[in-house]
Amino acid sequence: GDSVTQMEGPVTLSEEAFLTINCTYTATGYPSLFWYVQYPGEGLQLLLKATKADDKGSNKGFEATYRKETTSFHLEKGSVQVSDSAVYFCALSDLKGSQGNLIFGKGTKLSVKP
Amino acid sequence: GAVVSQHPSRVICKSGTSVKIECRSLDFQATTMFWYRQFPKQSLMLMATSNEGSKATYEQGVEKDKFLINHASLTLSTLTVTSAHPEDSSFYICSANTGVTDTQYFGPGTRLTVL
């Protein structure tokens, strides 16, 4: 069945460092791809999404490009801040454009030090 | 933005007892609510999908008689873990969908520990 694999954490970076969190997926169809973020003590929030190949999702300085050829959706940010410390989840939905059937990766905890 | 709350945030119970977890949409009406379960260092696993006023749809392998879901109103869904056992200890997360878009809004989760 469909699945999502993302790099294991925790990831610890200094402020202003470059961030990459790898995410690859396995799907039989053409899923939509998502990144969710969970700040301490809060629920998951949608960070960005892409619904078709070569789409780039972006929000709050984070970007991810839907790469069909490598089945990847890596999350990047050029300069992280302490406030970016959170757990990041990669997810896919096999319902086109929908978040109704979300399949999540295990999550990657990011800690940014001042 | 849309806010979803869960209550309680943590619960510890004895084996054999039942535990009810509430999921509320605070500032919107939720036509659909989802219940997830997350084991340590594992993915969130969808347990069931519930629509207001109708029976929940359970994912394969989830016992509906053990995990009772009630979505009685457009702002409240409850998950009751019946006759809980230590293997039911987990982090339970709900999410809600407004029906206007398909964005899911997540609650902060409930940590259940069964002794």
Side-chain angles (χ1 to χ4, degrees):
Chain A
D2 295 355
S3 66
V4 173
T5 303
Q6 62 182 101
M7 63 186 287
E8 291 193 23
V11 174
T12 302
L13 296 173
S14 297
E15 207 164 20
E16 300 183 4
F18 184 85
L19 168 71
T20 299
I21 301 178
N22 290 338
C23 172
T24 57
Y25 67 90
T26 302
T28 52
Y30 300 93
S32 294
L33 302 174
F34 307 86
W35 275 101
Y36 282 84
V37 59
Q38 184 176 31
Y39 297 104
E42 299 182 15
L44 276 73
Q45 301 172 27
L46 178 64
L47 180 59
L48 53 84
K49 68 177 182 180
T51 58
K52 61 182 188 297
D54 300 325
D55 267 3
K56 177 186 283 188
S58 61
N59 185 25
K60 299 181 180 180
F62 290 89
E63 292 183 341
T65 302
Y66 190 142
R67 301 286 188 200
K68 186 170 178 291
E69 63 276 14
T70 55
T71 62
S72 65
F73 193 55
H74 304 322
L75 182 68
E76 297 182 337
K77 185 173 185 181
S79 177
V80 294
Q81 305 301 312
V82 173
S83 57
D84 294 326
S85 297
V87 181
Y88 293 82
F89 292 89
C90 185
L92 69 81
S93 171
D94 54 5
L95 297 179
K96 194 62 179 174
S98 169
Q99 298 173 57
N101 279 11
L102 288 172
I103 297 170
F104 287 90
K106 294 182 180 181
T108 303
K109 184 176 181 179
L110 170 66
S111 296
V112 181
K113 306 297 183 186
Chain B
V3 178
V4 174
S5 70
Q6 281 184 242
H7 178 79
S9 57
R10 290 178 179 269
V11 57
I12 300 173
C13 69
K14 293 182 179 180
S15 185
T17 61
S18 294
V19 174
K20 181 185 284 188
I21 301 169
E22 293 185 349
C23 176
R24 292 183 185 273
S25 56
L26 297 185
D27 51 3
F28 67 98
Q29 293 185 327
T31 56
T32 306
M33 285 185 167
F34 304 86
W35 285 96
Y36 295 85
R37 182 174 180 177
Q38 185 181 26
F39 292 101
K41 298 184 179 181
Q42 299 294 320
S43 304
L44 279 75
M45 301 296 294
L46 180 65
M47 299 174 66
T49 303
S50 73
N51 292 294
E52 185 265 340
S54 61
K55 290 184 179 180
T57 302
Y58 289 82
E59 295 298 301
Q60 192 173 9
V62 178
E63 299 176 59
K64 56 183 167 184
D65 293 333
K66 179 162 187 66
F67 298 100
L68 300 178
I69 292 172
N70 187 334
H71 192 164
S73 78
L74 285 172
T75 59
L76 174 64
S77 176
T78 60
L79 168 67
T80 301
V81 183
T82 62
S83 186
H85 291 284
E87 58 266 29
D88 299 324
S89 298
S90 191
F91 194 56
Y92 292 87
I93 302 171
C94 73
S95 69
N97 178 298
T98 65
V100 176
T101 71
D102 60 7
T103 299
Q104 286 190 36
Y105 298 95
F106 285 81
T110 297
R111 172 76 61 193
L112 170 64
T113 302
V114 184
L115 302 178

